[in-house]
Amino acid sequence: MRIAVLTGAGISAESGLATFRAGDGLWERHRVEDVATPEAFARDPALVHRFYNARRAKAADARPNAAHRALAALASRHDLVLITQNVDDLHERAGSRSVIHIHGSLTRALCAACAHRWDAPAVMSAGDPCPACAARAIRPDIVWFGEMPHHMEIVWEALAAADLFVAIGTSGNVYPAAGFAQHAGRCGAECIEMNIDDSANARDFDRRILGPASQTVPDWVASLGA
Ligand code: OAD
């Protein structure tokens, strides 16, 4: 069976990382327009670096939970494509390989001048030079609002080929990821949603498993068998 999984901030919530749209979520405490757009970075790069330096530190301190581990185990038994909107590396640290980060990654840096990419230091600052071209235009390798998500060709193909599409811990508010269930469903996949609460695109799923990911994901993986 070919399985495509999409994860969102909810899968890392029980590892202690804040989600975006909860009452105490990141977008309640920081305005998207101030920290997560190319315009924000052009206006105040130091503020944007501070925001992502804090996210990077939190992610480094967090540990993968049972849901991340269950997905890593699933890959050894099934043909799995793991797509994440998350910029943390908890899937990798749980043992998953070839994770598709459509919104980029906190562990990577990008030069806005020459497009060179490298492993991000723990703390990035606007004045640091690019190791390749020396321009002082370094930024986190994160996809901001108004930018194209990464790896979309591979993703659309994986969704079209999937027998089963599962979305875990995502509110279904941000496209293109919010449209993955509709695309996979139209191409013939069964679509399952796992969330602790209602999502904005619940109508696109055939089945819904309600509960915390650290319980629902391991149970679902166990139910698939070998
Ligand atoms: P959101 O914060 O929008 O949604 C998190 C979802 O996780 C919600 O639907 C919660 O109900 C659910 N959730 C919370 N705790 C959970 C748990 N323990 N188990 C299962 N589900 C749980 O986060 P995303 O949907 O990932 O993009 O947000 C998508 C994108 O919006 C992010 O990648 C980010 C943000 O703006 C960029 O920054 C470009």
PDB file of all heavy atoms in Angstrom, residues 7-11 13-14 19-22 27 36 52 85-86 103 142-145 168-174 194-199 211-214, ligand 1:
ATOM      1  N   THR A   7       2.074  16.105   7.835  1.00  0.00           N
ATOM      2  CA  THR A   7       1.998  16.497   9.245  1.00  0.00           C
ATOM      3  C   THR A   7       2.030  18.022   9.369  1.00  0.00           C
ATOM      4  O   THR A   7       2.560  18.733   8.525  1.00  0.00           O
ATOM      5  CB  THR A   7       3.139  15.892  10.084  1.00  0.00           C
ATOM      6  OG1 THR A   7       4.400  16.373   9.611  1.00  0.00           O
ATOM      7  CG2 THR A   7       3.122  14.374  10.031  1.00  0.00           C
ATOM      8  N   GLY A   8       1.419  18.485  10.479  1.00  0.00           N
ATOM      9  CA  GLY A   8       1.421  19.908  10.808  1.00  0.00           C
ATOM     10  C   GLY A   8       1.842  20.103  12.254  1.00  0.00           C
ATOM     11  O   GLY A   8       2.219  19.136  12.950  1.00  0.00           O
ATOM     12  N   ALA A   9       1.722  21.323  12.714  1.00  0.00           N
ATOM     13  CA  ALA A   9       2.241  21.683  14.034  1.00  0.00           C
ATOM     14  C   ALA A   9       1.677  20.814  15.162  1.00  0.00           C
ATOM     15  O   ALA A   9       2.337  20.616  16.181  1.00  0.00           O
ATOM     16  CB  ALA A   9       1.940  23.155  14.307  1.00  0.00           C
ATOM     17  N   GLY A  10       0.455  20.277  14.978  1.00  0.00           N
ATOM     18  CA  GLY A  10      -0.167  19.470  16.037  1.00  0.00           C
ATOM     19  C   GLY A  10       0.630  18.238  16.401  1.00  0.00           C
ATOM     20  O   GLY A  10       0.574  17.780  17.551  1.00  0.00           O
ATOM     21  N   ILE A  11       1.417  17.689  15.449  1.00  0.00           N
ATOM     22  CA  ILE A  11       2.172  16.474  15.783  1.00  0.00           C
ATOM     23  C   ILE A  11       3.328  16.792  16.732  1.00  0.00           C
ATOM     24  O   ILE A  11       3.784  15.932  17.477  1.00  0.00           O
ATOM     25  CB  ILE A  11       2.668  15.725  14.522  1.00  0.00           C
ATOM     26  CG1 ILE A  11       3.049  14.276  14.906  1.00  0.00           C
ATOM     27  CG2 ILE A  11       3.834  16.435  13.858  1.00  0.00           C
ATOM     28  CD1 ILE A  11       3.298  13.354  13.740  1.00  0.00           C
ATOM     29  N   ALA A  13       3.082  19.284  19.015  1.00  0.00           N
ATOM     30  CA  ALA A  13       2.552  20.002  20.185  1.00  0.00           C
ATOM     31  C   ALA A  13       2.906  19.261  21.482  1.00  0.00           C
ATOM     32  O   ALA A  13       3.281  19.887  22.483  1.00  0.00           O
ATOM     33  CB  ALA A  13       1.038  20.167  20.061  1.00  0.00           C
ATOM     34  N   GLU A  14       2.793  17.933  21.452  1.00  0.00           N
ATOM     35  CA  GLU A  14       3.084  17.175  22.685  1.00  0.00           C
ATOM     36  C   GLU A  14       4.590  17.043  22.943  1.00  0.00           C
ATOM     37  O   GLU A  14       4.991  16.515  23.977  1.00  0.00           O
ATOM     38  CB  GLU A  14       2.410  15.809  22.612  1.00  0.00           C
ATOM     39  CG  GLU A  14       0.901  15.931  22.711  1.00  0.00           C
ATOM     40  CD  GLU A  14       0.201  14.656  22.292  1.00  0.00           C
ATOM     41  OE1 GLU A  14       0.094  13.751  23.129  1.00  0.00           O
ATOM     42  OE2 GLU A  14      -0.202  14.559  21.117  1.00  0.00           O
ATOM     43  N   THR A  19       1.804  25.452  18.589  1.00  0.00           N
ATOM     44  CA  THR A  19       1.196  25.471  17.260  1.00  0.00           C
ATOM     45  C   THR A  19       0.999  26.939  16.858  1.00  0.00           C
ATOM     46  O   THR A  19       1.365  27.846  17.600  1.00  0.00           O
ATOM     47  CB  THR A  19      -0.155  24.714  17.252  1.00  0.00           C
ATOM     48  OG1 THR A  19      -1.055  25.381  18.118  1.00  0.00           O
ATOM     49  CG2 THR A  19       0.039  23.262  17.689  1.00  0.00           C
ATOM     50  N   PHE A  20       0.429  27.155  15.679  1.00  0.00           N
ATOM     51  CA  PHE A  20       0.300  28.530  15.181  1.00  0.00           C
ATOM     52  C   PHE A  20      -1.020  29.184  15.564  1.00  0.00           C
ATOM     53  O   PHE A  20      -1.064  30.349  15.935  1.00  0.00           O
ATOM     54  CB  PHE A  20       0.448  28.550  13.641  1.00  0.00           C
ATOM     55  CG  PHE A  20       1.835  28.166  13.219  1.00  0.00           C
ATOM     56  CD1 PHE A  20       2.138  26.858  12.881  1.00  0.00           C
ATOM     57  CD2 PHE A  20       2.837  29.113  13.186  1.00  0.00           C
ATOM     58  CE1 PHE A  20       3.422  26.503  12.517  1.00  0.00           C
ATOM     59  CE2 PHE A  20       4.122  28.769  12.820  1.00  0.00           C
ATOM     60  CZ  PHE A  20       4.418  27.458  12.492  1.00  0.00           C
ATOM     61  N   ARG A  21      -2.135  28.394  15.453  1.00  0.00           N
ATOM     62  CA  ARG A  21      -3.455  29.039  15.537  1.00  0.00           C
ATOM     63  C   ARG A  21      -4.226  28.727  16.814  1.00  0.00           C
ATOM     64  O   ARG A  21      -5.403  29.061  16.911  1.00  0.00           O
ATOM     65  CB  ARG A  21      -4.290  28.656  14.300  1.00  0.00           C
ATOM     66  CG  ARG A  21      -3.686  29.236  13.057  1.00  0.00           C
ATOM     67  CD  ARG A  21      -4.354  28.872  11.765  1.00  0.00           C
ATOM     68  NE  ARG A  21      -3.633  29.527  10.682  1.00  0.00           N
ATOM     69  CZ  ARG A  21      -2.455  29.113  10.201  1.00  0.00           C
ATOM     70  NH1 ARG A  21      -1.900  28.009  10.667  1.00  0.00           N
ATOM     71  NH2 ARG A  21      -1.837  29.792   9.259  1.00  0.00           N
ATOM     72  N   ALA A  22      -3.586  28.119  17.796  1.00  0.00           N
ATOM     73  CA  ALA A  22      -4.260  27.909  19.081  1.00  0.00           C
ATOM     74  C   ALA A  22      -4.419  29.266  19.774  1.00  0.00           C
ATOM     75  O   ALA A  22      -3.789  30.259  19.382  1.00  0.00           O
ATOM     76  CB  ALA A  22      -3.433  26.957  19.940  1.00  0.00           C
ATOM     77  N   TRP A  27       0.852  32.651  16.256  1.00  0.00           N
ATOM     78  CA  TRP A  27       0.292  33.794  15.516  1.00  0.00           C
ATOM     79  C   TRP A  27      -0.604  34.662  16.405  1.00  0.00           C
ATOM     80  O   TRP A  27      -1.094  35.697  15.974  1.00  0.00           O
ATOM     81  CB  TRP A  27      -0.459  33.347  14.276  1.00  0.00           C
ATOM     82  CG  TRP A  27       0.373  32.713  13.188  1.00  0.00           C
ATOM     83  CD1 TRP A  27      -0.083  31.865  12.224  1.00  0.00           C
ATOM     84  CD2 TRP A  27       1.771  32.880  12.896  1.00  0.00           C
ATOM     85  NE1 TRP A  27       0.934  31.498  11.371  1.00  0.00           N
ATOM     86  CE2 TRP A  27       2.082  32.095  11.768  1.00  0.00           C
ATOM     87  CE3 TRP A  27       2.829  33.609  13.492  1.00  0.00           C
ATOM     88  CZ2 TRP A  27       3.367  32.014  11.212  1.00  0.00           C
ATOM     89  CZ3 TRP A  27       4.107  33.512  12.942  1.00  0.00           C
ATOM     90  CH2 TRP A  27       4.364  32.740  11.828  1.00  0.00           C
ATOM     91  N   ALA A  36       6.902  36.776   9.240  1.00  0.00           N
ATOM     92  CA  ALA A  36       6.865  35.618   8.330  1.00  0.00           C
ATOM     93  C   ALA A  36       6.497  36.001   6.902  1.00  0.00           C
ATOM     94  O   ALA A  36       5.775  35.265   6.220  1.00  0.00           O
ATOM     95  CB  ALA A  36       5.889  34.569   8.880  1.00  0.00           C
ATOM     96  N   TYR A  52      13.018  33.525  14.539  1.00  0.00           N
ATOM     97  CA  TYR A  52      13.406  32.171  14.125  1.00  0.00           C
ATOM     98  C   TYR A  52      14.537  31.604  14.980  1.00  0.00           C
ATOM     99  O   TYR A  52      14.622  30.392  15.162  1.00  0.00           O
ATOM    100  CB  TYR A  52      13.709  32.127  12.618  1.00  0.00           C
ATOM    101  CG  TYR A  52      12.418  32.195  11.829  1.00  0.00           C
ATOM    102  CD1 TYR A  52      12.004  33.371  11.221  1.00  0.00           C
ATOM    103  CD2 TYR A  52      11.567  31.100  11.764  1.00  0.00           C
ATOM    104  CE1 TYR A  52      10.793  33.454  10.547  1.00  0.00           C
ATOM    105  CE2 TYR A  52      10.354  31.160  11.093  1.00  0.00           C
ATOM    106  CZ  TYR A  52       9.974  32.342  10.493  1.00  0.00           C
ATOM    107  OH  TYR A  52       8.765  32.408   9.840  1.00  0.00           O
ATOM    108  N   GLN A  85       4.673  20.214   7.017  1.00  0.00           N
ATOM    109  CA  GLN A  85       4.686  21.685   6.985  1.00  0.00           C
ATOM    110  C   GLN A  85       5.583  22.194   8.096  1.00  0.00           C
ATOM    111  O   GLN A  85       5.831  23.397   8.197  1.00  0.00           O
ATOM    112  CB  GLN A  85       3.273  22.235   7.228  1.00  0.00           C
ATOM    113  CG  GLN A  85       2.273  21.873   6.157  1.00  0.00           C
ATOM    114  CD  GLN A  85       0.850  22.137   6.642  1.00  0.00           C
ATOM    115  OE1 GLN A  85       0.288  23.183   6.377  1.00  0.00           O
ATOM    116  NE2 GLN A  85       0.283  21.194   7.352  1.00  0.00           N
ATOM    117  N   ASN A  86       6.042  21.297   8.960  1.00  0.00           N
ATOM    118  CA  ASN A  86       6.796  21.730  10.142  1.00  0.00           C
ATOM    119  C   ASN A  86       8.234  22.077   9.778  1.00  0.00           C
ATOM    120  O   ASN A  86       8.847  21.434   8.925  1.00  0.00           O
ATOM    121  CB  ASN A  86       6.771  20.639  11.216  1.00  0.00           C
ATOM    122  CG  ASN A  86       5.362  20.392  11.713  1.00  0.00           C
ATOM    123  OD1 ASN A  86       4.475  21.199  11.474  1.00  0.00           O
ATOM    124  ND2 ASN A  86       5.154  19.277  12.385  1.00  0.00           N
ATOM    125  N   HIS A 103       7.649  23.673   3.890  1.00  0.00           N
ATOM    126  CA  HIS A 103       7.801  25.050   4.398  1.00  0.00           C
ATOM    127  C   HIS A 103       9.227  25.343   4.871  1.00  0.00           C
ATOM    128  O   HIS A 103       9.448  26.298   5.607  1.00  0.00           O
ATOM    129  CB  HIS A 103       6.801  25.320   5.529  1.00  0.00           C
ATOM    130  CG  HIS A 103       5.378  25.425   5.064  1.00  0.00           C
ATOM    131  ND1 HIS A 103       4.299  25.452   5.912  1.00  0.00           N
ATOM    132  CD2 HIS A 103       4.867  25.515   3.805  1.00  0.00           C
ATOM    133  CE1 HIS A 103       3.179  25.561   5.196  1.00  0.00           C
ATOM    134  NE2 HIS A 103       3.499  25.582   3.924  1.00  0.00           N
ATOM    135  N   ILE A 142      13.307  29.157   5.379  1.00  0.00           N
ATOM    136  CA  ILE A 142      11.904  28.968   5.753  1.00  0.00           C
ATOM    137  C   ILE A 142      11.064  29.588   4.656  1.00  0.00           C
ATOM    138  O   ILE A 142      11.422  30.659   4.141  1.00  0.00           O
ATOM    139  CB  ILE A 142      11.605  29.729   7.082  1.00  0.00           C
ATOM    140  CG1 ILE A 142      12.502  29.257   8.225  1.00  0.00           C
ATOM    141  CG2 ILE A 142      10.120  29.679   7.427  1.00  0.00           C
ATOM    142  CD1 ILE A 142      12.066  28.021   8.918  1.00  0.00           C
ATOM    143  N   VAL A 143       9.958  28.928   4.315  1.00  0.00           N
ATOM    144  CA  VAL A 143       9.047  29.490   3.313  1.00  0.00           C
ATOM    145  C   VAL A 143       8.099  30.456   4.016  1.00  0.00           C
ATOM    146  O   VAL A 143       7.369  30.070   4.924  1.00  0.00           O
ATOM    147  CB  VAL A 143       8.255  28.359   2.623  1.00  0.00           C
ATOM    148  CG1 VAL A 143       7.205  28.936   1.677  1.00  0.00           C
ATOM    149  CG2 VAL A 143       9.203  27.421   1.873  1.00  0.00           C
ATOM    150  N   TRP A 144       8.142  31.701   3.614  1.00  0.00           N
ATOM    151  CA  TRP A 144       7.274  32.715   4.219  1.00  0.00           C
ATOM    152  C   TRP A 144       6.001  32.885   3.403  1.00  0.00           C
ATOM    153  O   TRP A 144       5.920  32.446   2.252  1.00  0.00           O
ATOM    154  CB  TRP A 144       8.029  34.056   4.302  1.00  0.00           C
ATOM    155  CG  TRP A 144       9.108  34.046   5.339  1.00  0.00           C
ATOM    156  CD1 TRP A 144       9.063  33.437   6.564  1.00  0.00           C
ATOM    157  CD2 TRP A 144      10.399  34.677   5.254  1.00  0.00           C
ATOM    158  NE1 TRP A 144      10.243  33.654   7.248  1.00  0.00           N
ATOM    159  CE2 TRP A 144      11.072  34.417   6.467  1.00  0.00           C
ATOM    160  CE3 TRP A 144      11.042  35.446   4.287  1.00  0.00           C
ATOM    161  CZ2 TRP A 144      12.355  34.879   6.733  1.00  0.00           C
ATOM    162  CZ3 TRP A 144      12.321  35.918   4.548  1.00  0.00           C
ATOM    163  CH2 TRP A 144      12.971  35.634   5.754  1.00  0.00           C
ATOM    164  N   PHE A 145       5.023  33.543   4.000  1.00  0.00           N
ATOM    165  CA  PHE A 145       3.788  33.831   3.271  1.00  0.00           C
ATOM    166  C   PHE A 145       4.133  34.682   2.056  1.00  0.00           C
ATOM    167  O   PHE A 145       4.901  35.640   2.160  1.00  0.00           O
ATOM    168  CB  PHE A 145       2.779  34.528   4.185  1.00  0.00           C
ATOM    169  CG  PHE A 145       2.161  33.557   5.162  1.00  0.00           C
ATOM    170  CD1 PHE A 145       2.758  33.310   6.384  1.00  0.00           C
ATOM    171  CD2 PHE A 145       1.025  32.839   4.818  1.00  0.00           C
ATOM    172  CE1 PHE A 145       2.224  32.386   7.269  1.00  0.00           C
ATOM    173  CE2 PHE A 145       0.484  31.911   5.698  1.00  0.00           C
ATOM    174  CZ  PHE A 145       1.078  31.690   6.923  1.00  0.00           C
ATOM    175  N   ILE A 168      -2.142  14.762   9.649  1.00  0.00           N
ATOM    176  CA  ILE A 168      -2.026  14.675  11.109  1.00  0.00           C
ATOM    177  C   ILE A 168      -1.700  16.051  11.696  1.00  0.00           C
ATOM    178  O   ILE A 168      -0.692  16.667  11.334  1.00  0.00           O
ATOM    179  CB  ILE A 168      -0.895  13.683  11.494  1.00  0.00           C
ATOM    180  CG1 ILE A 168      -1.155  12.302  10.890  1.00  0.00           C
ATOM    181  CG2 ILE A 168      -0.769  13.588  13.024  1.00  0.00           C
ATOM    182  CD1 ILE A 168       0.038  11.345  10.987  1.00  0.00           C
ATOM    183  N   GLY A 169      -2.557  16.521  12.600  1.00  0.00           N
ATOM    184  CA  GLY A 169      -2.241  17.725  13.364  1.00  0.00           C
ATOM    185  C   GLY A 169      -2.070  18.971  12.535  1.00  0.00           C
ATOM    186  O   GLY A 169      -1.175  19.783  12.804  1.00  0.00           O
ATOM    187  N   THR A 170      -2.949  19.159  11.549  1.00  0.00           N
ATOM    188  CA  THR A 170      -2.893  20.403  10.771  1.00  0.00           C
ATOM    189  C   THR A 170      -4.297  20.984  10.656  1.00  0.00           C
ATOM    190  O   THR A 170      -5.265  20.241  10.487  1.00  0.00           O
ATOM    191  CB  THR A 170      -2.240  20.200   9.384  1.00  0.00           C
ATOM    192  OG1 THR A 170      -2.323  21.426   8.639  1.00  0.00           O
ATOM    193  CG2 THR A 170      -2.863  19.067   8.604  1.00  0.00           C
ATOM    194  N   SER A 171      -4.392  22.317  10.757  1.00  0.00           N
ATOM    195  CA  SER A 171      -5.706  22.961  10.844  1.00  0.00           C
ATOM    196  C   SER A 171      -6.385  23.113   9.486  1.00  0.00           C
ATOM    197  O   SER A 171      -7.539  23.528   9.421  1.00  0.00           O
ATOM    198  CB  SER A 171      -5.561  24.330  11.508  1.00  0.00           C
ATOM    199  OG  SER A 171      -4.745  25.164  10.710  1.00  0.00           O
ATOM    200  N   GLY A 172      -5.676  22.838   8.392  1.00  0.00           N
ATOM    201  CA  GLY A 172      -6.298  22.936   7.075  1.00  0.00           C
ATOM    202  C   GLY A 172      -6.592  24.367   6.655  1.00  0.00           C
ATOM    203  O   GLY A 172      -7.527  24.619   5.899  1.00  0.00           O
ATOM    204  N   ASN A 173      -5.783  25.288   7.115  1.00  0.00           N
ATOM    205  CA  ASN A 173      -5.994  26.708   6.779  1.00  0.00           C
ATOM    206  C   ASN A 173      -5.051  27.225   5.710  1.00  0.00           C
ATOM    207  O   ASN A 173      -5.327  28.261   5.095  1.00  0.00           O
ATOM    208  CB  ASN A 173      -5.793  27.579   8.031  1.00  0.00           C
ATOM    209  CG  ASN A 173      -7.016  27.591   8.902  1.00  0.00           C
ATOM    210  OD1 ASN A 173      -8.082  27.997   8.467  1.00  0.00           O
ATOM    211  ND2 ASN A 173      -6.878  27.107  10.133  1.00  0.00           N
ATOM    212  N   VAL A 174      -3.893  26.573   5.534  1.00  0.00           N
ATOM    213  CA  VAL A 174      -2.857  27.137   4.668  1.00  0.00           C
ATOM    214  C   VAL A 174      -2.694  26.279   3.406  1.00  0.00           C
ATOM    215  O   VAL A 174      -2.410  25.078   3.489  1.00  0.00           O
ATOM    216  CB  VAL A 174      -1.514  27.235   5.430  1.00  0.00           C
ATOM    217  CG1 VAL A 174      -0.405  27.755   4.524  1.00  0.00           C
ATOM    218  CG2 VAL A 174      -1.664  28.164   6.632  1.00  0.00           C
ATOM    219  N   MET A 194      -6.313  13.025  11.261  1.00  0.00           N
ATOM    220  CA  MET A 194      -6.102  12.847  12.708  1.00  0.00           C
ATOM    221  C   MET A 194      -5.858  14.211  13.310  1.00  0.00           C
ATOM    222  O   MET A 194      -4.910  14.911  12.937  1.00  0.00           O
ATOM    223  CB  MET A 194      -4.885  11.965  12.968  1.00  0.00           C
ATOM    224  CG  MET A 194      -5.082  10.567  12.446  1.00  0.00           C
ATOM    225  SD  MET A 194      -3.754   9.524  12.986  1.00  0.00           S
ATOM    226  CE  MET A 194      -3.964   8.212  11.809  1.00  0.00           C
ATOM    227  N   ASN A 195      -6.717  14.560  14.256  1.00  0.00           N
ATOM    228  CA  ASN A 195      -6.608  15.883  14.868  1.00  0.00           C
ATOM    229  C   ASN A 195      -7.255  15.811  16.243  1.00  0.00           C
ATOM    230  O   ASN A 195      -8.083  14.941  16.507  1.00  0.00           O
ATOM    231  CB  ASN A 195      -7.313  16.933  13.985  1.00  0.00           C
ATOM    232  CG  ASN A 195      -6.832  18.341  14.246  1.00  0.00           C
ATOM    233  OD1 ASN A 195      -6.812  18.796  15.389  1.00  0.00           O
ATOM    234  ND2 ASN A 195      -6.419  19.032  13.208  1.00  0.00           N
ATOM    235  N   ILE A 196      -6.880  16.730  17.070  1.00  0.00           N
ATOM    236  CA  ILE A 196      -7.463  16.767  18.413  1.00  0.00           C
ATOM    237  C   ILE A 196      -8.760  17.585  18.400  1.00  0.00           C
ATOM    238  O   ILE A 196      -9.542  17.555  19.357  1.00  0.00           O
ATOM    239  CB  ILE A 196      -6.431  17.359  19.404  1.00  0.00           C
ATOM    240  CG1 ILE A 196      -6.666  16.859  20.811  1.00  0.00           C
ATOM    241  CG2 ILE A 196      -6.375  18.878  19.340  1.00  0.00           C
ATOM    242  CD1 ILE A 196      -5.486  17.106  21.728  1.00  0.00           C
ATOM    243  N   ASP A 197      -9.013  18.274  17.276  1.00  0.00           N
ATOM    244  CA  ASP A 197     -10.133  19.218  17.211  1.00  0.00           C
ATOM    245  C   ASP A 197     -10.631  19.300  15.761  1.00  0.00           C
ATOM    246  O   ASP A 197     -10.092  18.640  14.879  1.00  0.00           O
ATOM    247  CB  ASP A 197      -9.617  20.599  17.680  1.00  0.00           C
ATOM    248  CG  ASP A 197     -10.712  21.434  18.304  1.00  0.00           C
ATOM    249  OD1 ASP A 197     -11.890  21.102  18.109  1.00  0.00           O
ATOM    250  OD2 ASP A 197     -10.373  22.433  18.979  1.00  0.00           O
ATOM    251  N   ASP A 198     -11.595  20.190  15.524  1.00  0.00           N
ATOM    252  CA  ASP A 198     -12.087  20.380  14.154  1.00  0.00           C
ATOM    253  C   ASP A 198     -11.036  21.060  13.280  1.00  0.00           C
ATOM    254  O   ASP A 198     -10.284  21.892  13.764  1.00  0.00           O
ATOM    255  CB  ASP A 198     -13.327  21.290  14.165  1.00  0.00           C
ATOM    256  CG  ASP A 198     -14.500  20.588  14.820  1.00  0.00           C
ATOM    257  OD1 ASP A 198     -14.531  19.343  14.791  1.00  0.00           O
ATOM    258  OD2 ASP A 198     -15.365  21.291  15.369  1.00  0.00           O
ATOM    259  N   SER A 199     -11.029  20.716  11.995  1.00  0.00           N
ATOM    260  CA  SER A 199     -10.143  21.422  11.063  1.00  0.00           C
ATOM    261  C   SER A 199     -11.003  22.142  10.033  1.00  0.00           C
ATOM    262  O   SER A 199     -12.198  21.880   9.920  1.00  0.00           O
ATOM    263  CB  SER A 199      -9.208  20.438  10.363  1.00  0.00           C
ATOM    264  OG  SER A 199      -9.977  19.636   9.486  1.00  0.00           O
ATOM    265  N   GLY A 211      -8.247  12.848  18.586  1.00  0.00           N
ATOM    266  CA  GLY A 211      -7.470  12.586  19.802  1.00  0.00           C
ATOM    267  C   GLY A 211      -6.067  13.116  19.660  1.00  0.00           C
ATOM    268  O   GLY A 211      -5.676  13.604  18.586  1.00  0.00           O
ATOM    269  N   PRO A 212      -5.271  13.046  20.728  1.00  0.00           N
ATOM    270  CA  PRO A 212      -3.886  13.523  20.664  1.00  0.00           C
ATOM    271  C   PRO A 212      -3.030  12.609  19.787  1.00  0.00           C
ATOM    272  O   PRO A 212      -3.117  11.381  19.889  1.00  0.00           O
ATOM    273  CB  PRO A 212      -3.428  13.489  22.123  1.00  0.00           C
ATOM    274  CG  PRO A 212      -4.373  12.569  22.819  1.00  0.00           C
ATOM    275  CD  PRO A 212      -5.658  12.560  22.054  1.00  0.00           C
ATOM    276  N   ALA A 213      -2.200  13.230  18.965  1.00  0.00           N
ATOM    277  CA  ALA A 213      -1.402  12.465  17.997  1.00  0.00           C
ATOM    278  C   ALA A 213      -0.526  11.403  18.657  1.00  0.00           C
ATOM    279  O   ALA A 213      -0.319  10.335  18.078  1.00  0.00           O
ATOM    280  CB  ALA A 213      -0.540  13.435  17.182  1.00  0.00           C
ATOM    281  N   SER A 214      -0.020  11.675  19.852  1.00  0.00           N
ATOM    282  CA  SER A 214       0.883  10.702  20.488  1.00  0.00           C
ATOM    283  C   SER A 214       0.161   9.387  20.786  1.00  0.00           C
ATOM    284  O   SER A 214       0.805   8.356  20.985  1.00  0.00           O
ATOM    285  CB  SER A 214       1.471  11.275  21.779  1.00  0.00           C
ATOM    286  OG  SER A 214       0.454  11.403  22.742  1.00  0.00           O
TER     287      SER A 214
HETATM  288  P1  OAD B   1      -1.972  25.179  13.095  1.00  0.00           P
HETATM  289  O1  OAD B   1      -1.500  25.822  14.341  1.00  0.00           O
HETATM  290  O2  OAD B   1      -2.768  25.993  12.147  1.00  0.00           O
HETATM  291  O3  OAD B   1      -2.862  23.915  13.465  1.00  0.00           O
HETATM  292  C1  OAD B   1      -2.421  22.925  14.358  1.00  0.00           C
HETATM  293  C2  OAD B   1      -3.460  21.820  14.363  1.00  0.00           C
HETATM  294  O4  OAD B   1      -2.999  20.796  15.235  1.00  0.00           O
HETATM  295  C3  OAD B   1      -4.839  22.256  14.866  1.00  0.00           C
HETATM  296  O5  OAD B   1      -5.836  21.801  13.957  1.00  0.00           O
HETATM  297  C4  OAD B   1      -4.975  21.549  16.220  1.00  0.00           C
HETATM  298  O6  OAD B   1      -6.318  21.159  16.508  1.00  0.00           O
HETATM  299  C5  OAD B   1      -4.081  20.329  16.019  1.00  0.00           C
HETATM  300  N1  OAD B   1      -3.490  19.785  17.256  1.00  0.00           N
HETATM  301  C6  OAD B   1      -3.026  20.458  18.326  1.00  0.00           C
HETATM  302  N2  OAD B   1      -2.515  19.620  19.232  1.00  0.00           N
HETATM  303  C7  OAD B   1      -2.667  18.372  18.720  1.00  0.00           C
HETATM  304  C8  OAD B   1      -2.331  17.067  19.185  1.00  0.00           C
HETATM  305  N3  OAD B   1      -1.716  16.873  20.373  1.00  0.00           N
HETATM  306  N4  OAD B   1      -2.632  16.008  18.405  1.00  0.00           N
HETATM  307  C9  OAD B   1      -3.249  16.198  17.204  1.00  0.00           C
HETATM  308  N5  OAD B   1      -3.593  17.398  16.708  1.00  0.00           N
HETATM  309  C10 OAD B   1      -3.297  18.476  17.459  1.00  0.00           C
HETATM  310  O7  OAD B   1      -0.691  24.537  12.392  1.00  0.00           O
HETATM  311  P2  OAD B   1      -0.517  24.020  10.888  1.00  0.00           P
HETATM  312  O8  OAD B   1      -1.807  23.515  10.334  1.00  0.00           O
HETATM  313  O9  OAD B   1       0.652  23.123  10.865  1.00  0.00           O
HETATM  314  O10 OAD B   1       3.357  28.132   7.880  1.00  0.00           O
HETATM  315  O11 OAD B   1      -0.149  25.380  10.177  1.00  0.00           O
HETATM  316  C11 OAD B   1       0.148  25.370   8.815  1.00  0.00           C
HETATM  317  C12 OAD B   1       1.124  26.474   8.498  1.00  0.00           C
HETATM  318  O12 OAD B   1       0.604  27.713   8.995  1.00  0.00           O
HETATM  319  C13 OAD B   1       2.457  26.355   9.194  1.00  0.00           C
HETATM  320  O13 OAD B   1       3.339  25.492   8.524  1.00  0.00           O
HETATM  321  C14 OAD B   1       2.955  27.758   9.212  1.00  0.00           C
HETATM  322  C15 OAD B   1       1.675  28.451   9.635  1.00  0.00           C
HETATM  323  O14 OAD B   1       1.522  29.771   9.283  1.00  0.00           O
HETATM  324  C16 OAD B   1       4.291  29.080   7.692  1.00  0.00           C
HETATM  325  O15 OAD B   1       4.860  29.656   8.606  1.00  0.00           O
HETATM  326  C17 OAD B   1       4.562  29.372   6.239  1.00  0.00           C
END
